[in-house]
Amino acid sequence: MREVMKLGLALLAICAVAGLALGLTYNITLPRIKAQEEAARQRLYRDLLPGADVFKEVTIGSHKYQTGWQHGQRIGVIFTVTGKGYGGDIVIIVGMDPAGRVTGVSILSQSETPGLGSKAAQPPFLRQYAGKSTEELKLRIDGGKIDAVTAATITSRAVTSGVKSAVDQYLHDSEGLK
Amino acid sequence: MRPVEDFSNGLFRENPTFRLILGMCPALAVTTAAINGLGMGLATTFVLVCSNTIISLLRKVIPEDIRIPAYIVVISSFVTVVQLVMQGFTPELYGVLGIFVPLIVVNCIILARAEAFAGKYDVVRSAADGLGMGLGFTWALTLLGAAREVIGTGSLSNAYQMFGLPQFSLKIIYGSYDPALITILAPGAFIMLGLMIGLMNLLTKHH
């Protein structure tokens, strides 16, 4: 019995020291981590809506959008959608100007085949979306203006229809604004 | 020169990946590209050196009967500290390695070295052992990742991009190259690892 107590107390002491060290590290790093995450989010928004200097969350229709402002003028919105890819969900974030023309697309998370589908999450493919409007947002083989990534048609189609659904959602929600 | 021997031990003679066959989970899962293997290897090396040092220092304090839970507490605390510090102070590095860092906790090389080495020997030798084992793991994973990436995609794009080197591609060298995609998919990980262990056995046969 005494042996068990001794071992228990020794383990308690080790865990207490480890817990204390972890708590301290957490508290020291928390504000820095929060600041870094916020900065990363701002950078991402800026890439998607070039020119915007302030971002505000606004409800348009029934959905929440990030709106980008420049000199007090709303120059666009950012909306996040989820598409069904080949290897699971693809989280896509889309920047649009007030008329619903795409200004930039970025992929937040995806689990597509490395080397094939994953190429559809990279700038050379995503750059194609800039300036496109809803009728052009289809793969070329489906009658649109987006070139699919070779050997990754399913992923390319998922991203493209995701972007299109974001644009259509915004056009639908912004009806009430006009 | 005991610490020097302890250091070189992990590099070749008892290489964790090719000799001890430990830490197979990260070795198979993250080596789809050379840069991933390098990142995972270096992060593991850091934790391995720290945990070996602390456990060696505490080896007379930790009671024999509860050494395994004590080691696990030390290792997982270190991994969490590394993760928080990286996230807060080097976000670029965290962006590349972030998903691999929590995986280090379950890497059995670290617990194996704590149990087989750091719990028995002094601090200098334990740190040398940790560094050797870690770097042995690093070169093995980088080589495996590079082989899988080159054969599977025909290039080493991510690694070259990161170090700002001109693009390397089999297509440019040979005119045309049809990538054998299987090597970057899951079954290819087993096949390439098996081939490399075989090659390593062949090379060290006469020693």
Side-chain angles (χ1 to χ4, degrees):
Chain A
M1 199 58 203
R2 285 200 50 179
E3 187 60 19
V4 173
M5 286 291 287
K6 216 182 87 189
L7 292 179
L9 284 175
L11 198 54
L12 176 70
I14 293 168
C15 290
V17 173
L20 200 68
L22 283 181
L24 272 175
T25 317
Y26 180 76
N27 271 327
I28 293 166
T29 52
L30 186 67
R32 302 245 0 174
I33 292 172
K34 284 262 178 285
Q36 299 283 9
E37 279 173 356
E38 184 56 35
R41 198 164 39 238
Q42 289 290 334
R43 262 201 306 278
L44 182 63
Y45 287 165
R46 256 178 211 132
D47 282 348
L48 292 178
L49 264 187
D53 38 30
V54 184
F55 291 93
K56 273 185 258 176
E57 197 173 277
V58 172
T59 304
I60 304 173
S62 50
H63 295 86
K64 283 207 168 86
Y65 292 83
Q66 286 290 334
T67 51
W69 299 75
Q70 185 185 39
H71 312 305
Q73 191 91 24
R74 203 183 78 194
I75 62 160
V77 297
I78 292 168
F79 192 56
T80 307
V81 285
T82 304
K84 263 262 166 282
Y86 187 71
D89 285 348
I90 307 174
V91 181
I92 308 155
I93 110 169
V94 186
M96 297 161 262
D97 68 12
R101 200 173 287 274
V102 178
T103 54
V105 174
S106 183
I107 305 291
L108 273 190
S109 72
Q110 50 91 11
S111 43
E112 299 305 292
T113 316
L116 282 182
S118 66
K119 281 187 189 155
Q122 286 164 359
F125 176 74
L126 296 176
R127 265 200 295 271
Q128 296 186 76
Y129 291 107
K132 299 284 191 297
S133 56
T134 176
E135 14 349 306
E136 299 169 322
L137 286 171
K138 275 188 219 142
L139 296 185
R140 216 170 273 281
I141 45 170
D142 299 333
K145 287 205 169 163
I146 305 294
D147 289 313
V149 172
T150 310
T153 310
I154 294 176
T155 309
S156 308
R157 195 173 275 147
V159 175
T160 307
S161 63
V163 174
K164 184 171 164 55
S165 75
V167 173
D168 290 345
Q169 183 67 57
Y170 168 71
L171 290 175
H172 177 80
D173 285 339
S174 64
E175 285 283 286
L177 290 181
K178 286 167 192 161
Chain B
M1 294 306 281
R2 270 285 183 58
V4 176
E5 278 167 37
D6 293 331
F7 169 71
S8 65
N9 187 39
L11 287 181
F12 299 103
R13 206 169 55 250
E14 283 188 29
N15 186 281
T17 308
F18 295 145
R19 276 275 170 266
L20 304 180
I21 323 290
L22 282 175
M24 285 298 104
C25 180
L28 292 167
V30 309
T31 54
T32 51
I35 195 75
N36 291 355
L38 182 69
M40 183 65 184
L42 292 178
T44 305
T45 305
F46 181 77
V47 173
L48 199 48
V49 172
C50 293
S51 76
N52 261 14
T53 306
I54 296 289
I55 285 165
S56 173
L57 282 171
L58 293 175
R59 71 187 187 282
K60 300 219 170 73
V61 186
I62 298 171
E64 179 78 10
D65 295 331
I66 54 159
R67 64 186 192 287
I68 300 292
Y71 294 166
I72 291 174
V73 170
V74 171
I75 294 166
S76 48
S77 305
F78 252 115
V79 172
T80 312
V81 168
V82 168
Q83 188 183 3
L84 289 172
V85 170
M86 268 171 79
Q87 211 175 345
F89 293 89
T90 56
E92 293 81 14
L93 191 64
Y94 185 77
V96 182
L97 297 185
I99 48 165
F100 305 133
V101 176
L103 275 176
I104 298 171
V105 182
V106 294
N107 191 331
C108 38
I109 299 167
I110 299 176
L111 187 61
R113 292 331 284 174
E115 170 70 5
F117 205 97
K120 299 191 179 102
Y121 299 103
D122 66 56
V123 180
V124 178
R125 292 192 61 188
S126 296
D129 176 76
L131 188 65
M133 283 288 163
L135 292 180
F137 184 64
T138 305
W139 80 253
L141 256 64
T142 310
L143 183 67
L144 188 58
R148 289 180 66 189
E149 192 180 358
V150 168
I151 299 172
T153 68
S155 70
L156 274 174
S157 48
N158 296 336
Y160 275 65
Q161 230 166 342
M162 173 154 276
F163 297 113
L165 297 166
Q167 193 53 258
F168 164 87
S169 163
L170 291 179
K171 245 181 210 140
I172 297 169
I173 300 170
Y174 294 114
S176 82
Y177 176 73
D178 225 354
L181 195 69
I182 188 170
T183 64
I184 51 171
L185 302 178
F190 287 92
I191 296 169
M192 294 302 283
L193 180 66
L195 288 175
M196 284 198 179
I197 293 172
L199 192 68
M200 184 86 173
N201 285 346
L202 203 66
L203 289 175
T204 54
K205 210 170 151 188
H206 306 293
H207 295 282

